Amino acid sequence: MDYDVIVLGGGPGGYTAAIRLSELGKKVAVVEEDSLGGTCLNRGCIPTKVYSHAAELINTIKDAKDFGIMAQYTLDIAKLRQKKERVVKRLVGGVGYLMNLHHIDVIKGRGRFVDENTIEVDKRYTAENFIIATGSKVFLPPIEGINLEGVITSDKALELERIPEKIVIIGAGIIGLEFANIYSALGSKVVIIEMLPQLLPMLDRDIADTMEKNLRHKKIELHLNSKVEKIEEGLKVVYTTEGNTRVVECDTVLVAVGRVANVNGIEALNLDMDKKGIKVDSHMRTSIKNIYAIGDVTGGIQLAHVASYQGIVAAHNIAGEEKEADLNAVPNCLYTSPEIAWVGLNEVQAREKFGDVKIGTFPYTALGRAMTMGQNDGFVKIIAEAKYNRVVGMEIIGTGATEIIHEGVLAIKEEFTLEELADAIHAHPTLSESIKEAAEDALGIPINKG
C-alpha cells in the first residue's frame, strides 16, 4: 500500500484527522481539489467572521455617542475584502505548514474511488484505510429563475465589489441571518423570506422572539411562513404569504437555504447511505470496515468543530484505539448582533424527555459588564432536569454568547448540577457571571434578579 491512510478532503475535519493520524505513527496523505481548509477557511466560517466583525465595528461606532464619543466612518469595501483575503491566506498557509511539519503528503486534485483500497486522482493511490471528509455543497432549491444574474449563494456572498442597495435573502437559518446582519450593517436594505412560521425553530420561542424583535429594530424586513415561487428578470422575487402573492424588487438575491452532503467520487464503493449522506456508526466507520466518514458528508451536524472532533475519533479508531463520538454537548453559534449560542436540549425538548424541569434566566439588563459595554440586549437561559438538578441545556442571546457558551458545554458533558454552577466563583464584572446568576435563579435563590 502507498499509505496507511488517505484522507479525502482537506477541510477542518480532514486535516485534523490527518495530523492526529500522523501523531499516532501513520503514513498519511490528504487529497484536496481546492485549497486546504475547505469551505470553512476559504468561503465560510473564517471569511464571514471578518465581515461580521466589520459589522460589529460599524455598530460600535454608531453607538459610541452614548459614551460621549462622536465618530464618523467611511466604508471601503475593497479594503474589507483585502482584509478577508489576508486572513484566509494566512490560515490556509498555516494548514499547509502543519501538513509539512507532520510529513503529510498533499495530493492536489479531485479524488475518485476505484475500489475500497484504491483512489484515483492524477494517478492511482492505495491505502489500508480511508477517511471521507468531502464536506458539503450549497443546496439550490428548484426555484424558477434561480440561475439569473444577480442571484448568488453564500460561496459568492463575500466576493461582491459593491454593497447591494437592496438584498433579498431566501432562508432565515444561521447562514441567512449572519449575512442579513452583515449587509444591514454595511448599508443594504435587507429583506428575509423564510418558509417556516418561526425564526430559528431549534431554539425556544423566547430566544427566537428576541432575535426577531432585534431584526425588525434594525429595519430588516422579515417575512415568515412565506414561500418564494420564482425570481423574474430584473430580480423581482415573487413569494406567497398567508395565501397572498407579493413581489419585492432588489439588486441582489442571496439563496441561503442550507447545504447538502458532497458525495461525489464515492460511487464505486456502494456505501450505505440515506438522503442526508453517508451512514456511519459511533466510531465514524461506514458500512465498509476500512473506510470512515466524518463531518458534513455524513449528513449530521454541519459544523466545522464537529467535523474536527469526528476526525479525531476516526483517527484513534484507525490506530486501533476504541473511541466513540459523543455529540450530546455540541455548541452552536450564530454570529449576529446580538450573538446567539446554545448547547444541549431546549426547554421543549427537555420537558418531553424529563417531564419536570427547572429553568433559570438572567437578563443582560441586570448584568454589570454588559451595561458598561452598552450591550443590554439579551439573556442567559439554563435548563436542568428536576430530579437531580443536572444541567441539560443552555441558550444565550447577547454579546459574547459564542464565547461564554462553553461553560454550558462543559456542564453538560461532565453532568454538572445547578448547585455546582452556582457555587463556582465567577469573576465580577464579567459576562460569564450571568451563568452563575441563571443557575441561582433556577434553584430559586437569585441574588441580583428581582
Side-chain angles (χ1 to χ4, degrees):
M1 296 290 178
D2 297 317
Y3 296 95
D4 295 321
V5 188
I6 293 178
V7 181
L8 187 59
Y15 80 72
T16 298
I19 291 171
R20 180 51 53 87
L21 284 162
S22 177
E23 292 171 338
L24 293 170
K26 300 298 181 181
K27 183 181 180 183
V28 188
V30 171
V31 177
E32 175 55 56
E33 67 174 327
D34 194 358
S35 297
L36 289 170
T39 296
C40 177
L41 263 66
N42 291 280
R43 297 176 297 280
C45 319
I46 296 301
T48 57
K49 300 313 165 281
V50 174
Y51 278 66
S52 292
H53 185 64
E56 182 181 350
L57 290 173
I58 290 172
N59 290 331
T60 299
I61 292 170
K62 290 179 178 179
D63 294 339
K65 60 184 178 182
D66 192 40
F67 291 83
I69 302 170
M70 308 305 167
Q72 294 181 332
Y73 71 94
T74 301
L75 176 64
D76 187 330
I77 188 64
K79 286 189 175 181
L80 178 54
R81 285 184 61 186
Q82 290 167 9
K83 172 65 174 178
K84 179 259 296 183
E85 289 162 3
R86 288 197 305 272
V87 171
V88 169
K89 182 178 180 180
R90 182 169 182 176
L91 289 173
V92 170
V95 176
Y97 166 77
L98 291 173
M99 296 295 100
N100 291 329
L101 180 67
H102 292 277
H103 308 291
I104 298 166
D105 291 341
V106 177
I107 302 169
K108 295 295 293 182
R110 175 175 291 190
R112 180 183 65 86
F113 277 96
V114 177
D115 57 45
E116 62 189 43
N117 287 110
T118 311
I119 197 168
E120 187 172 68
V121 193
D122 54 333
K123 63 179 185 178
R124 292 190 174 186
Y125 301 87
T126 57
E128 292 184 6
N129 295 277
F130 288 86
I131 297 177
I132 301 171
T134 48
S136 60
K137 56 187 177 182
V138 171
F139 171 65
L140 289 176
I143 297 173
E144 180 183 341
I146 202 166
N147 294 316
L148 288 172
E149 185 177 353
V151 180
I152 62 174
T153 67
S154 57
D155 284 350
K156 299 295 182 181
L158 301 181
E159 302 302 320
L160 299 180
E161 296 181 357
R162 63 175 184 83
I163 301 300
E165 183 176 336
K166 188 172 185 178
I167 183 170
V168 171
I169 299 176
I170 303 174
I174 290 176
I175 296 173
L177 289 180
E178 286 192 3
F179 277 110
N181 181 73
I182 290 168
Y183 279 108
S184 175
L186 296 182
S188 297
K189 170 63 178 174
V190 179
V191 179
I192 304 175
I193 302 174
E194 167 60 46
M195 285 186 64
L196 296 176
Q198 178 187 322
L199 201 66
L200 301 170
M202 75 289 287
L203 295 171
D204 288 323
R205 193 63 190 244
D206 47 2
I207 297 281
D209 286 349
T210 300
M211 174 53 73
E212 182 175 339
K213 180 181 177 181
N214 186 272
L215 292 173
R216 298 190 189 282
H217 178 73
K218 293 177 179 176
K219 306 296 191 246
I220 295 174
E221 285 187 34
L222 180 61
H223 301 283
L224 298 174
N225 207 22
S226 300
K227 180 183 178 183
V228 174
E229 303 294 342
K230 60 181 177 179
I231 304 170
E232 297 178 340
E233 292 284 352
L235 293 188
K236 298 178 181 179
V237 181
V238 180
Y239 66 100
T240 54
T241 181
E242 298 179 350
N244 299 314
T245 299
R246 299 177 181 175
V247 180
V248 57
E249 297 185 34
C250 60
D251 53 332
T252 303
V253 178
L254 171 61
V255 181
V257 295
R259 301 179 66 88
V260 292
N262 179 18
V263 294
N264 294 334
I266 68 169
E267 295 81 4
L269 294 178
N270 196 29
L271 292 169
D272 284 351
M273 299 176 60
D274 57 25
K275 62 181 181 179
K276 292 183 178 180
I278 300 172
K279 289 184 177 181
V280 293
D281 62 16
S282 60
H283 300 87
M284 309 315 299
R285 187 180 288 112
T286 70
S287 55
I288 299 175
K289 65 179 182 179
N290 71 312
I291 297 178
Y292 295 71
I294 61 173
D296 291 8
V297 76
T298 66
I301 303 171
Q302 294 182 339
L303 295 170
H305 46 280
V306 171
S308 298
Y309 170 75
Q310 291 175 332
I312 297 292
V313 171
H316 282 276
N317 282 293
I318 288 173
E321 303 176 21
E322 187 78 9
K323 189 173 180 63
E324 292 187 82
D326 178 5
L327 300 178
N328 290 318
V330 174
N332 295 262
C333 300
L334 180 56
Y335 296 86
T336 50
S337 178
E339 293 181 344
I340 300 180
W342 65 98
V343 62
L345 304 177
N346 62 34
E347 182 178 345
V348 174
Q349 293 167 335
R351 292 190 186 281
E352 289 176 352
K353 183 173 182 177
F354 298 106
D356 194 15
V357 299
K358 291 183 178 180
I359 306 295
T361 62
F362 193 76
Y364 271 40
T365 51
L367 186 61
R369 180 62 178 139
M371 293 180 69
T372 65
M373 299 167 67
Q375 300 290 333
N376 303 347
D377 193 13
F379 62 95
V380 171
K381 181 175 185 177
I382 294 179
I383 303 116
E385 53 81 29
K387 185 175 182 180
Y388 301 106
N389 287 345
R390 179 168 57 90
V391 177
V392 297
M394 185 179 294
E395 298 173 316
I396 307 171
I397 181 168
T399 190
T402 61
E403 298 294 336
I404 64 176
I405 191 61
H406 296 95
E407 190 167 346
V409 174
L410 187 61
I412 293 171
K413 181 173 176 57
E414 299 302 325
E415 299 185 339
F416 289 178
T417 64
L418 291 170
E419 288 85 353
E420 288 170 323
L421 273 186
D423 193 48
I425 298 174
H426 288 64
H428 174 77
T430 59
L431 297 174
S432 58
E433 65 181 319
S434 59
I435 293 174
K436 171 183 173 68
E437 300 278 2
E440 291 175 339
D441 184 51
L443 290 168
I445 51 172
I447 298 295
N448 291 298
K449 180 181 176 183

